[in-house]
Amino acid sequence: MTALTASPVDPDRRAPHEDWDPEDEEFWARSGARIARRNLVFSVFSEHIGFSVWSLWSVLVLFLGPEYHIDTAGKFTLTALPTALGALVRLPYTFAVARFGGRTWTVISTLLLLVPTALAALVLEPGVPYGTLLAVACVAGVGGGNFASSMANINAFYPHRLKGWALGINAGGGNLGVPAVQLLGLLVLATAGAAHPRLLPLLYLPLILPAAVGAWWKMDNLPATPGGSRAGRALRDVARDPYGWAVCALYIGTFGSFIGFGFAFGQVLQVQFHERFDTPVKAAALTFLGPLLGSLMRPVGGRLADRFGGARVTLGTFAAMGAGTAVVLAASRAHSLPLFLAGFVALFVLSGVGNGSTYKMIPAHYQAVARASVEAGADPAAAEADSRGRSAALIGLAGAIGAFGGVLVNLAFRQSFLAGGSGDAAYAGFLVAYAGCSALTWAVWFRRR
């Protein structure tokens, strides 16, 4: 069990020395559920803004008209870079929770969002060197790290029976930052016009400080071990476990699709259906819909996984994503915009479901491992601590590797449009990838049964 470090407000709401054991149903009913729910709310707020900052350049590229002298390939590079840095920082962000505590790191990581937001507002004007834009876009990747630390933190607050739902709510609320920034971008385009891209990051600057203050006053620390040494051992254990790498591969297929499509969809519409989307406003009016539905479906995927099992839901999701990709490919070749939009929206929805179900598979697996070790004579408390540590480590590892899927999506689109003038080659590649993920899910989770 873990000692709860109270946040500085209302300290008498529970004993500061009270051990944190969400599996204790009496404790959970008395105070645990309320404390966990409060931490979840403020975690979602911070993570939501992090996702918005991370996704900022998926909208800003729509503002970069001919006066910026950036071609289609250059714009796909601008969206790929923050995705890549967001993937890289997810591992250290995960372990920062064990090192500093969830509340403390949420405050720090939220304040760090001021840097890329202020830089974007400072440099965006015609004549800015492309290298400067690349550097500023890359820094926006720190927003992607908030997801990993937030998920690792919330995972420790909830009992196993509710993890799918809790992680789905936390991640889905964060994922909503993608359509939120796209809607705000649409608002700026429709009112001020494409000549004023600075207004978009300026809208987010006033939100970051309240999110940090709210985390400081309302969240709690669940300190793990001094120096985070247990977290490092947990990562080494997970890295040696083939199960962990199988989950990472599946998360490339689900979250990589969600974030990659979210970053690229506006550009894809402008390039592939340029006669229908000849202005940034027309493209921005549709780009938010898919990420919005995908974000809302993530808690649904977690809840379905709680009920039917993560592997079963994930396998069905990948099979459906393959069908959706086939629709997109057929629509692209027929140049049918309605069918194209329907297929892409389906992919966003399914990727959201798959995100929730895949993450549920992480704590469920290590809970089963802990039960087996207890039956073999291990200490129950040590087995539970080991289960939570490995779950947090794999959440961070899968989040980092899965985010690289978004980089691959943007690079696939970049190369496909450069080579053939359409996204057909990219869609064919996605179809092969989803078939591979389906086969992997069946082989690892069903074949031995």
Side-chain angles (χ1 to χ4, degrees):
M1 292 189 289
T2 310
L4 181 69
T5 302
S7 57
V9 74
D10 194 14
D12 60 347
R13 63 188 169 217
R14 78 275 185 197
H17 62 275
E18 187 173 30
D19 287 333
W20 185 259
D21 184 9
E23 304 299 339
D24 182 340
E25 294 187 6
E26 180 183 350
F27 163 74
W28 183 253
R30 183 177 71 251
S31 59
R34 175 172 51 83
I35 296 169
R37 186 165 53 248
R38 187 186 66 246
N39 279 267
L40 176 61
V41 168
F42 284 88
S43 174
V44 166
F45 184 27
S46 172
E47 188 192 341
H48 176 91
I49 296 176
F51 257 94
S52 292
V53 172
W54 192 24
S55 308
L56 198 60
W57 284 87
S58 71
V59 183
L60 291 178
V61 291
L62 300 178
F63 289 82
L64 305 182
E67 65 274 16
Y68 286 86
H69 307 291
I70 303 173
D71 60 11
T72 298
K75 291 181 180 180
F76 276 118
T77 303
L78 280 171
T79 57
L81 278 178
T83 316
L85 183 67
L88 286 173
V89 301
R90 282 186 166 193
L91 274 180
Y93 267 57
T94 299
F95 299 133
V97 172
R99 180 74 172 95
F100 302 105
R103 167 182 147 229
T104 304
W105 185 249
T106 301
V107 173
I108 295 171
S109 62
T110 303
L111 291 175
L112 283 174
L113 299 175
L114 291 168
V115 177
T117 311
L119 285 176
L122 181 65
V123 305
L124 275 168
E125 60 180 359
V128 60
Y130 182 60
T132 300
L133 292 179
L134 288 175
V136 173
C138 188
V139 175
V142 297
N146 289 40
F147 170 85
S149 55
S150 178
M151 292 292 278
N153 184 42
I154 293 302
N155 177 66
F157 274 95
Y158 277 84
H160 287 290
R161 68 184 183 277
L162 297 177
K163 283 186 186 293
W165 173 84
L167 293 176
I169 290 290
N170 189 62
N175 291 171
L176 281 170
V178 180
V181 74
Q182 291 171 343
L183 280 170
L184 282 176
L186 173 62
L187 177 65
V188 173
L189 283 168
T191 55
H196 300 281
R198 290 176 169 179
L199 291 178
L200 183 57
L202 286 174
L203 288 173
Y204 274 94
L205 281 174
L207 299 176
I208 295 172
L209 190 59
V213 172
W216 176 257
W217 285 100
K218 291 293 186 179
M219 293 183 71
D220 305 278
N221 282 327
L222 292 176
T225 55
S229 58
R230 181 178 294 176
R233 289 197 299 272
L235 177 62
R236 288 193 294 272
D237 292 340
V238 165
R240 298 189 189 106
D241 185 358
Y243 180 91
W245 290 106
V247 171
C248 290
L250 300 186
Y251 204 57
I252 290 175
T254 58
F255 183 75
S257 297
F258 172 83
I259 199 65
F261 294 155
F263 276 42
F265 191 42
Q267 294 181 77
V268 170
L269 288 177
Q270 278 199 301
V271 177
Q272 190 145 358
F273 295 91
H274 54 85
E275 72 283 357
R276 299 286 296 273
F277 299 97
D278 54 344
T279 67
V281 175
K282 292 179 180 178
L286 288 176
T287 53
F288 75 93
L289 180 60
L292 173 64
L293 294 176
S295 301
L296 294 175
M297 292 302 294
R298 183 157 188 161
V300 175
R303 180 66 83 182
L304 289 172
D306 283 336
R307 182 172 182 181
F308 300 108
R312 188 175 301 167
V313 176
T314 301
L315 179 60
T317 298
F318 277 123
M321 289 178 76
T325 306
V327 170
V328 169
L329 179 57
S332 174
R333 291 178 173 174
H335 208 67
S336 170
L337 179 59
L339 192 60
F340 187 84
L341 290 174
F344 245 113
V345 168
L347 286 176
F348 274 111
V349 168
L350 292 166
S351 68
V353 173
N355 286 336
S357 62
T358 302
Y359 253 40
K360 166 63 179 180
M361 294 159 68
I362 296 173
H365 171 73
Y366 288 112
Q367 181 192 22
V369 171
R371 275 201 306 265
S373 64
V374 169
E375 291 172 0
D379 176 64
E384 175 65 19
D386 186 63
S387 169
R388 291 182 181 276
R390 293 189 183 192
S391 294
L394 185 50
I395 283 173
L397 183 63
I401 294 177
F404 272 113
V407 181
L408 296 176
V409 166
N410 278 271
L411 292 179
F413 277 128
R414 180 183 186 276
Q415 190 59 35
S416 182
F417 282 110
L418 270 178
S422 76
D424 291 358
Y427 307 137
F430 301 151
L431 184 57
V432 172
Y434 298 143
C437 288
S438 298
L440 177 64
T441 308
W442 178 84
V444 174
W445 283 272
F446 292 95
R447 184 182 56 164
R448 285 181 294 180
R449 294 182 183 179

